[in-house]
Amino acid sequence: MLTIYHNPRCSKSRQTLALIEEANGDVEIVEYLKNPPSIETLASILELLAVEPRAMMRTKEDEYKQ
């Protein structure tokens, strides 16, 4: 099963979810704004993706700019 950390307000997230559902209906959807992942889950995702935390940040959001 594939897991997507989804933001329904984000057009890219909606497009990605649509592609996943079209290719493979077996998907777990986690609305991360309603159910934030734990520190351990975030660390695991970073390790799997082999990226730094900043690569996962929404840099155009006001919260980031502040």
Side-chain angles (χ1 to χ4, degrees):
M1 176 181 293
L2 186 63
T3 301
I4 180 172
Y5 289 85
H6 179 59
N7 178 355
R9 296 181 331 193
C10 175
S11 63
K12 297 288 185 201
S13 188
R14 290 191 308 269
Q15 290 170 359
T16 301
L17 179 57
L19 288 171
I20 292 169
E21 289 178 330
E22 184 178 304
N24 175 2
D26 196 17
V27 61
E28 176 186 7
I29 301 167
V30 178
E31 290 191 32
Y32 65 88
L33 295 175
K34 291 181 182 177
N35 301 302
S38 67
I39 296 295
E40 293 80 13
T41 299
L42 287 173
S44 175
I45 293 168
L46 288 168
E47 186 175 329
L48 287 169
L49 295 175
V51 298
E52 294 296 318
R54 192 170 303 274
M56 293 175 39
M57 293 178 166
R58 297 177 53 96
T59 58
K60 294 181 182 178
E61 297 289 327
D62 289 336
E63 291 86 350
Y64 178 86
K65 292 176 184 177
Q66 291 174 356

